[in-house]
Amino acid sequence: MSSAGPEGRKKMRECEGLIDSLVYYIQGAIADHEPNDKATENCVCILHNLSYQLEIELPESYAQSMYMQRRNISNNDKTPGCFGTRSRKVKEKLQDTPLPEEKSSPKGVESLWHSTLIRIYLSLIAKSTRNYTQEASLGALQNLTAGTGPMPFAVARTVVQKANGLPGIRAMLHVSQPAVKKTAVSLLRNLSRNTSLQNDIAREVLPDLVSILPECVPGCDIACETTASICYTLFNLTQSSSHNARLLLSAHGLPKVIAISMNDSNMFSKASRAASVLLYSLWSHTDLHSAYKKADFKKADFINSRTTKAYNSLKD
C-alpha cells in the first residue's frame, strides 16, 4: 500500500497513529536487541516508501513554516547575477537553515524527518543484518536528503554531524549485497552536496569510495550505476577543495577514474561520463598540477575531447 503512489502515500501519512505506531514498534525492537525480525523490516520499508518525495508532497502548513525562514535569508542576501561572490554564501546559509519543525515529541508526519527517526535508521544500519532492513533504512535517509530545501540539508547535518552516521554508512560500502551498496553510495552522493559537510565526508569515506571503485566499468547495470554515483560523489567532494582532490590522488584513485572514463561505449556511458566529469574538474586545481605530473599523469589525462564533452553536458 505504501508504494501505491502519491495519493496512497498522502492517505497513509494522514492516517492518525499509523506512523507513530511504526516508529514505536521499531524502537521497541531495537531496545529488545531484535533488529532482525521480519516485522521491523516491514515497518522500515513502509517508512522508506512514505519518505519518498516527502518535501514535495508535504501539506502546505509544513511547507510554509519551512520555507518562510529560507525566504527571509535569501531576501536579506540579494546579489546581482547568478555567479556573484556572495551567491555561494547565500547557498551555504540556506544549507545551514535550522528546521523549524523539529519538536521534542513529534506526531504523525512530523516524525518522518525528525532526528529521532534518523537515529533509528542509523541504528538499524549498524545493528541489523537483514539486507532489506539495511537497504530500506539507507533508502529512507536517501529520500530525506534528496531535495534542495531546508529539510534535506537539516537531515544531512543530523546524519553527519549530530548523529555520527558516517561510520555505519561507510560499513555498508563493503557489503556483498549490490543493492545495499548502491543505496549507501546514493545516500553519500546526496550528503556530499552540502558544502559544510564535504570535508567531514571526505576525511571519513573518500578512501573507502576509492577502494570500491572498479578497475574498469562493470558489466551489470546496478554496478554501473553505483560506479557513476561514486564518481559524482567524488566530484562533489573535490570540486571546491584541492585538499580533497589531493586525498583522491594519494588514495590512488586516478588510475581507476581514468580507466572508467575511457570506456565510453553506449552501454557504459553513465559511469564513463561521470568519471570524465570528475577528471575535467580535477584539472581546475592548478596547485596540484605539479603533484599530478610527479605521479606520472599529464594534462591529456584530465582534459581531452571526452572529458570536455562530458563536463559541458553537465553544465547544460
Side-chain angles (χ1 to χ4, degrees):
M1 288 170 62
S2 64
S3 58
E7 283 304 310
R9 290 193 294 271
K10 183 173 184 289
K11 289 289 185 185
M12 292 183 74
R13 288 174 190 144
E14 292 172 352
C15 181
E16 186 174 353
L18 175 60
I19 292 173
D20 301 329
S21 299
L22 297 169
V23 174
Y24 180 79
Y25 184 90
I26 299 170
Q27 284 179 311
I30 293 173
D32 293 340
H33 305 288
E34 296 179 357
N36 293 316
D37 74 329
K38 181 66 177 178
T40 297
E41 176 190 303
N42 289 334
C43 289
V44 179
C45 286
I46 296 166
L47 292 171
H48 172 210
N49 290 340
L50 295 184
S51 68
Y52 182 66
Q53 293 192 334
L54 179 61
E55 190 178 36
I56 297 171
E57 297 172 3
L58 271 177
E60 188 64 28
S61 57
Y62 293 111
Q64 284 180 349
S65 63
M66 281 185 193
Y67 287 98
M68 188 63 68
Q69 197 167 351
R70 190 171 192 248
R71 197 178 301 118
N72 289 341
I73 289 178
S74 60
N75 286 342
N76 291 336
D77 283 273
K78 288 178 181 175
T79 177
C82 298
F83 304 103
T85 54
R86 297 176 63 200
S87 60
R88 181 180 174 84
K89 294 179 182 177
V90 174
K91 181 181 177 184
E92 289 175 354
K93 277 193 178 182
L94 294 180
Q95 291 181 2
D96 290 332
T97 305
L99 193 57
E101 290 295 326
E102 178 85 338
K103 297 178 179 179
S104 57
S105 300
K107 293 290 183 184
V109 72
E110 298 167 358
S111 299
L112 289 176
W113 66 82
H114 196 274
S115 59
T116 297
L117 187 52
I118 294 169
R119 292 174 192 276
I120 287 173
Y121 290 140
L122 292 170
S123 180
L124 287 172
I125 289 167
K127 295 178 181 177
S128 178
T129 57
R130 291 182 78 96
N131 290 145
Y132 286 125
T133 301
Q134 293 169 335
E135 185 183 350
S137 299
L138 290 163
L141 293 174
Q142 180 193 352
N143 286 342
L144 293 172
T145 55
T148 57
M151 180 204 294
F153 289 119
V155 172
R157 278 205 316 283
T158 299
V159 169
V160 175
Q161 295 181 333
K162 298 177 182 177
N164 190 31
L166 288 177
I169 299 168
R170 183 182 65 204
M172 295 298 100
L173 298 177
H174 301 286
V175 298
S176 59
Q177 183 63 29
V180 174
K181 184 182 296 189
K182 174 180 176 289
T183 310
V185 173
S186 297
L187 170 56
L188 286 171
R189 181 178 176 181
N190 285 351
L191 296 175
S192 69
R193 295 182 300 121
N194 191 320
T195 53
S196 65
L197 304 178
Q198 287 171 353
N199 287 341
D200 291 338
I201 296 168
R203 182 172 60 252
E204 192 88 34
V205 301
L206 189 147
D208 294 82
L209 289 170
V210 171
S211 73
I212 64 170
L213 260 183
E215 300 290 342
C216 60
V217 179
C220 67
D221 286 346
I222 190 168
C224 192
E225 287 184 24
T226 303
T227 300
S229 283
I230 293 171
C231 289
Y232 282 125
T233 303
L234 293 171
F235 168 74
N236 289 342
L237 295 176
T238 59
Q239 186 181 18
S240 302
S241 170
S242 61
H243 173 75
N244 292 343
R246 192 180 291 274
L247 277 180
L248 176 58
L249 176 65
S250 62
H252 308 292
L254 283 180
K256 290 181 174 182
V257 178
I258 291 170
I260 294 165
S261 168
M262 292 174 70
N263 194 338
D264 56 357
S265 65
N266 287 335
M267 184 178 176
F268 308 129
S269 60
K270 186 180 291 186
S272 85
R273 184 165 60 246
S276 295
V277 167
L278 173 58
L279 286 170
Y280 188 97
S281 174
L282 288 170
W283 189 254
S284 67
H285 298 294
T286 54
D287 56 319
L288 293 182
H289 287 183
S290 59
Y292 294 150
K293 186 177 180 181
K294 189 175 181 180
D296 291 328
F297 298 107
K298 53 189 182 296
K299 181 178 179 179
D301 292 324
F302 301 88
I303 308 295
N304 52 57
S305 59
R306 187 174 56 254
T307 62
T308 302
K309 180 180 178 181
Y311 189 80
N312 288 336
S313 70
L314 182 74
K315 289 197 298 182
D316 294 341

